[in-house]
Each structure stands twice: as C-alpha cells, then as structure tokens.
C-alpha cells in the first residue's frame, strides 16, 4: 500500500520563505467581516454547521489508504473532507468521541504526508509564534480567527458536543498547531490563519502518490 516516490519533497531554504506578517489572510474578493467566518463566501456550503456531519463515512478502501498515510489504525468514524490532486485523502473528518468515549477535539486531521512535511517546516521556522503575534496585533484577523473557532465548534457539535468546548490548533486566542489550522482551511475554506499557511505551501510539493489506491 505505501509507495516510495522517486524523490522526497523539496527542502526549501528557510530564508526564501515568505514573510508570514505580510501574507494576506482574507479570501480574494471576500467581503469585509460579517456573520459567517469573515473570509468565506456566504454561498459556500462548507460554511454550514451540518456540512461535516453530512460527509459520507469513509469506505473500507479509503480507511486503508488513510491508515497507510498516517501509519496507524484509524479509530472510530472518519470521512474524507478533502482529496489531493491524485484523488487520495488529504484531510479527514474525525469523530469528536472515540469508540471508548475518549474526547477527540480535532475535527479535521491532515492525512497527506507531503502536506505534513511542508507545514512542519513552517513550524520549525517559528511561524507559530509570529502568527500568534500577528493575531494579537491585528483586530480584524483576531476577529476572523475567533469566528473560525466558532464555525469549527458548530460543525463539531453536530456530531457530538465536548464539555468545555475545547479548541484546536490554538483557537481561539493564539496559533499553536499550523497542521490543524491548515487542515481546517483545506477542508472548509474557513480558516484565516490556515489560508496564510496555504499561501506558503500550496501547491504541495508532492513527488507522486504516497499510497497506492490499488492496495
């Protein structure tokens, strides 16, 4: 099932990365903040609270692909929330409660190995602290970051409500896990910090399919 591509993803020089303080966070052409996540089109169905719950359960074949990508067994209910250019799972929607009742706050999980590497390099370059500072000093971005958290909770609550409404990726007050915020953006288009990250990593430098759909 796992494949060995002809090469590894390129390792860019950290000094050539864009400045996270100056990358735009609003969707191009988006209206100024409103009731929905502040950078998302009102007609985007992924903004609906029930969108995540309405995703079809992953097939047995997709579960095997996801397990090969993450290197472990998939626990509980999962659905494919976004696919890569090869049609493989890129982001999965997980269940807020595992089969044994353990809370699992991360609704959107990044499965793509190449994307994990790309986002991890930004974290290694100190983007978490830099973007936390940016959220703290830009009121519009802070409001959009908080709205993304509210949207995340609304979608998760349609599956199961977790006591205390635990956030993910540092939401709503800071930036802790770029992987989680990028996964939220890739799945729903509703995460402003994830959109900043996407401008630095997309299109993902992928040398080929990471797993074989044929098993």
């Amino acid at each position: 099932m796992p494949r060995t591509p002809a090469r590894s993803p390129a390792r860019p020089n950290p000094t050539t990365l864009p400045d996270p303080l100056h990358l735009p966070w609003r969707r191009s052409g988006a209206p100024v903040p409103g009731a929905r996540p502040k950078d998302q089109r009102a007609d985007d169905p992924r903004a609906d609270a029930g969108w995540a719950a309405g995703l079809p359960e992953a097939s047995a074949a997709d579960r095997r692909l996801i397990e090969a990508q993450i290197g472990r067994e998939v626990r509980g209910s999962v659905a494919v929330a976004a696919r890569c250019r090869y049609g493989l799972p890129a982001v999965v929607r997980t269940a807020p409660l595992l089969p044994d009742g353990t809370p699992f706050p991360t609704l959107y999980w990044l499965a793509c190995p190449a994307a994990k590497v790309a986002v991890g390099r930004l974290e290694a370059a100190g983007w978490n602290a830099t973007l936390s500072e940016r959220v703290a000093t830009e009121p519009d971005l802070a409001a959009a970051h908080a709205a993304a958290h509210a949207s995340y909770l609304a979608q998760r609550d349609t599956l199961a409500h977790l006591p205390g409404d635990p956030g993910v990726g540092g939401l709503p007050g800071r930036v802790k896990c770029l992987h989680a915020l990028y996964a939220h953006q890739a799945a729903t288009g509703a995460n402003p910090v994830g959109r900043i990250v996407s401008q630095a990593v997309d299109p993902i430098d992928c040398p080929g399919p990471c797993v074989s759909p044929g098993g």
Side-chain angles (χ1 to χ4, degrees):
M1 175 82 66
R3 300 186 64 178
T4 302
R7 64 172 179 83
S8 298
R11 294 182 175 274
N13 184 335
T15 62
T16 67
L17 290 172
D19 186 347
L21 293 177
H22 295 102
L23 289 173
W25 57 266
R26 287 188 176 93
R27 184 194 295 274
S28 177
V32 173
R36 288 180 180 270
K38 304 193 182 329
D39 49 352
Q40 186 176 45
R41 297 192 313 272
D43 61 346
D44 190 333
R46 299 175 300 169
D48 295 339
W51 181 80
L55 292 172
E57 185 72 17
S59 66
D62 274 335
R63 288 181 75 95
R64 289 194 295 269
L65 292 174
I66 296 165
E67 289 174 346
Q69 289 174 310
I70 67 177
R72 60 175 174 78
E73 182 182 358
V74 173
R75 296 180 293 171
S77 171
V78 296
V80 178
R83 294 184 184 272
C84 72
R85 58 182 175 270
Y86 299 109
L88 300 171
V91 179
V92 297
R93 185 226 69 203
T94 61
L97 293 171
L98 297 178
D100 64 0
T102 301
F104 193 83
T106 306
L107 183 64
Y108 297 109
W109 190 265
L110 193 58
C112 169
K116 290 179 182 178
V117 170
V119 176
R121 288 172 185 153
L122 300 186
E123 291 193 335
W127 278 44
N128 303 64
T130 301
L131 289 172
S132 287
E133 177 184 352
R134 185 174 177 181
V135 168
T137 56
E138 295 185 25
D140 282 354
L141 176 56
H145 193 53
H149 178 243
S151 175
Y152 201 102
L153 293 186
Q155 292 196 338
R156 194 175 66 194
D157 283 349
T158 62
L159 291 160
H161 179 259
L162 299 182
D165 294 326
V168 295
L171 287 166
R174 59 194 178 97
V175 176
K176 181 180 179 182
C177 178
L178 297 185
H179 293 86
L181 302 181
Y182 174 78
H184 185 209
Q185 167 64 21
T188 69
N191 194 287
V193 174
R195 183 168 299 110
I196 293 172
V197 171
S198 73
Q199 292 177 74
V201 302
D202 289 337
I204 296 295
D205 179 51
C206 178
C210 56
V211 292
S212 174

